[in-house]
Amino acid sequence: MNRTHSLPPYVVAALLTVSVPVAAHAQSSTGSTGSSTVGAKPPVSSLTPADIKLLAETHIAIGLVHDSADARAAQSKNKTKDAQLELAQKKREAVAQVLTARGLTEDEYQRRRFVVSTNLELRTHFDSVVAKITGVPIPGRVAVAAAPGFVPAAQLPPGLVGTHIGHVTTSYVDTPDKMGLLPMAFAEAAVASQHATLATRTPTNLAAMQMHAGHVLNALDPSLMKEGPGKGYGLKKAAGGVAQHIELAAKETGASGGVKIHATHIAAAARGTLTRVDAAIALIRQIQSATDAKEAASLISQLASLCNQLAAGADTNADGRVDWGNGEGGLQQAQEHVQLLIAGEKK
């Protein structure tokens, strides 16, 4: 006798929290005559507002499933292998239920996510819908003055010393929106970390993991992956520019002792970031050539950890703190010493 299984509580929560009538979605894809073409899909560049709304609601519902399921997986009573496998299966079933309830296949959902992640206009619309539903402010809408690494021009030292420091902190000629190199590096690192984390959410989907790995690569070095959600400059180029221009500032005739000392620290932290960028790119190459989801998932886990260290650095010698040197430093350590440098020049 067949048994009817009830939905897990976290699926019910997801479906109740974000409800989308399937009939309404079907109607949106029906022509004025009331007929529709089975299997027909709009071009990737023509997602309608209704498509984006559906994607946003589905994204939120799946996020609720992941959050609830992951919380259960972290409980001590569920640490056994069998329990983890059972919970993972229930999570997959729950995600499938969310997609089915909204008239989407896994492939279509992933396709729409890709379109939105690579189109700024669609991404802005998507973010605004998510913000309206959840009440959480739109991500990425931060004033330039509040961006990590930014220093107002009025606080820079005079002369060529200040000019080179300004390239690091304030504005540079060839970056998007002429951002400073350090704020640019922070922005690209944030994209890389975000998409590495997204990849960890699909450990059984090789194509999805490889897609997000490509997004990470685009943020790290767009010369290796032209299309993606990055800013178009690349963390590798930005961090390299930070090291180069802060050292140029230290070499100027008018550079103070404080500038010379902190320039050494800033450059070392930037180069520590570059080392992690190179390691991340090597991992991505392995992920892109993987033929097995299990193999790729293991590499994705390493990539996510490494991408989190791009900004935060890493306590490699286990002394309880992250230093600017010894390969530990990341962008945050570079920023800390920029702030110390600027504070010293005000005296």
Side-chain angles (χ1 to χ4, degrees):
M1 181 176 63
N2 293 330
R3 297 177 61 189
T4 301
H5 297 279
S6 60
L7 292 176
Y10 49 85
V11 179
V12 176
L15 295 176
L16 290 176
T17 303
V18 185
S19 178
V20 182
V22 176
H25 172 56
Q27 184 178 2
S28 71
S29 59
T30 303
S32 58
T33 62
S35 63
S36 62
T37 302
V38 176
K41 295 179 180 179
V44 294
S45 59
S46 61
L47 291 182
T48 66
D51 292 332
I52 294 174
K53 182 173 184 290
L54 177 65
L55 177 64
E57 293 169 328
T58 306
H59 167 78
I60 294 167
I62 290 177
L64 290 171
V65 170
H66 279 287
D67 291 343
S68 182
D70 292 347
R72 286 172 170 77
Q75 294 175 358
S76 58
K77 67 179 181 180
N78 292 325
K79 288 300 183 180
T80 66
K81 181 179 179 180
D82 288 344
Q84 290 289 311
L85 289 173
E86 182 182 356
L87 288 169
Q89 178 62 28
K90 286 182 177 179
K91 182 164 69 170
R92 287 192 292 270
E93 292 172 354
V95 170
Q97 289 276 8
V98 171
L99 292 172
T100 300
R102 286 157 180 77
L104 290 173
T105 65
E106 172 69 19
D107 286 345
E108 179 65 8
Y109 174 63
Q110 294 297 343
R111 185 187 73 86
R112 294 188 184 192
R113 288 184 67 190
F114 175 78
V115 172
V116 166
S117 71
T118 55
N119 184 301
L120 180 59
E121 183 179 352
L122 294 179
R123 179 56 189 260
T124 300
H125 186 180
F126 173 84
D127 287 343
S128 68
V129 174
V130 171
K132 184 176 181 180
I133 294 172
T134 63
V136 178
I138 297 175
R141 306 300 189 265
V142 181
V144 173
F150 178 82
V151 174
Q155 296 182 17
L156 300 174
L160 289 176
V161 174
T163 298
H164 287 301
I165 295 173
H167 290 161
V168 172
T169 63
T170 311
S171 181
Y172 191 61
V173 65
D174 71 343
T175 58
D177 299 323
K178 293 183 169 51
M179 293 176 67
L181 289 161
L182 186 54
M184 187 76 258
F186 269 109
E188 295 284 42
V191 173
S193 181
Q194 177 191 24
H195 284 271
T197 300
L198 287 173
T200 65
R201 294 187 172 184
T202 55
T204 61
N205 189 326
L206 179 60
M209 288 186 284
Q210 290 175 330
M211 178 188 72
H212 285 300
H215 292 172
V216 175
L217 184 58
N218 172 254
L220 299 179
D221 189 349
S223 71
L224 301 177
M225 176 64 73
K226 292 183 180 180
E227 299 296 328
K231 309 301 180 182
Y233 196 78
L235 175 55
K236 185 169 185 175
K237 188 176 180 181
V242 169
Q244 177 188 9
H245 284 276
I246 201 65
E247 288 177 338
L248 287 173
K251 291 177 181 178
E252 290 294 335
T253 303
S256 68
V259 168
K260 293 177 181 178
I261 291 172
H262 290 299
T264 300
H265 301 168
I266 295 163
R271 291 197 172 97
T273 302
L274 284 174
T275 298
R276 293 184 181 89
V277 168
D278 288 339
I281 291 173
L283 278 174
I284 291 168
R285 291 307 194 200
Q286 294 180 62
I287 293 164
Q288 290 176 327
S289 62
T291 58
D292 177 74
K294 184 177 181 181
E295 173 192 358
S298 175
L299 297 169
I300 284 290
S301 179
Q302 297 176 52
L303 180 64
S305 177
L306 198 56
C307 285
N308 288 337
Q309 296 172 13
L310 293 171
D315 179 15
T316 56
N317 61 6
D319 66 351
R321 66 190 183 93
V322 179
D323 197 4
W324 55 265
N326 301 318
E328 293 192 341
L331 298 178
Q332 289 179 8
Q333 287 67 46
Q335 180 185 16
E336 289 170 6
H337 285 274
V338 163
Q339 294 170 338
L340 291 170
L341 183 157
I342 296 299
E345 294 304 291
K346 290 180 181 179
K347 296 178 181 179

